Amino acid sequence: MELLEIIKSLSNETRLNILEWLKDPFAHFPEEELSQDTPELGVCVSDIAKKAGMSVPTVSDYLKTMSSANILIATRKGQWTYYKRNEKSIQDLATHIKDKL
């Protein structure tokens, strides 16, 4: 785990909001934007951008940063990219903070 890379990837209010929204997508995104595959695939970049009120390129950059830090998992399906939380990495981060910091 690259602690500094993870912390940098979360050092923005919108990125923290995205992480929170992806914890329970059905509570944070309109039902018509989600599918039966949402738990496995995650949420589409365009839907996250719409919720954040930001452009798709900006949100896409945020998501790539978080994915590079292994906090999110990206899945490509056709022309769309979906993101979901990497719960194991998030748990490892919580344990590291609790035990070492």
Side-chain angles (χ1 to χ4, degrees), residues 10 14 23 30 38 61 65 81-82 93:
L10 298 174
T14 300
K23 185 171 185 173
T38 296
D61 185 54
T65 298
T81 303
Y82 296 81
L93 173 62

Side-chain angles (χ1 to χ4, degrees), residues 4-101:
L4 189 55
E5 183 181 1
I6 292 169
I7 290 172
K8 283 182 181 180
S9 80
L10 298 174
S11 65
N12 171 300
E13 185 175 4
T14 300
R15 293 177 195 171
L16 288 172
N17 287 339
I18 291 168
L19 195 61
E20 180 183 339
W21 300 335
L22 293 178
K23 185 171 185 173
D24 185 3
F26 291 97
H28 295 283
F29 294 91
E31 191 174 320
E32 62 272 7
E33 293 176 358
L34 304 174
S35 74
Q36 294 173 281
D37 297 329
T38 296
E40 293 81 36
L41 282 178
V43 178
C44 183
V45 173
S46 60
D47 295 331
I48 297 169
K50 185 176 176 183
K51 170 94 174 156
M54 301 176 86
S55 71
V56 170
T58 299
V59 170
S60 184
D61 185 54
Y62 287 176
L63 295 167
K64 286 178 189 173
T65 298
M66 295 168 74
S67 182
S68 292
N70 208 24
I71 291 296
L72 297 180
I73 298 169
T75 303
R76 188 106 174 134
K77 186 175 180 184
Q79 66 180 0
W80 308 109
T81 303
Y82 296 81
Y83 285 88
K84 68 179 182 177
R85 291 164 47 111
N86 183 337
E87 296 297 342
K88 180 173 179 348
S89 286
I90 294 168
Q91 186 59 48
D92 290 348
L93 173 62
T95 299
H96 183 83
I97 290 171
K98 180 182 173 226
D99 294 345
K100 306 237 177 173
L101 297 181

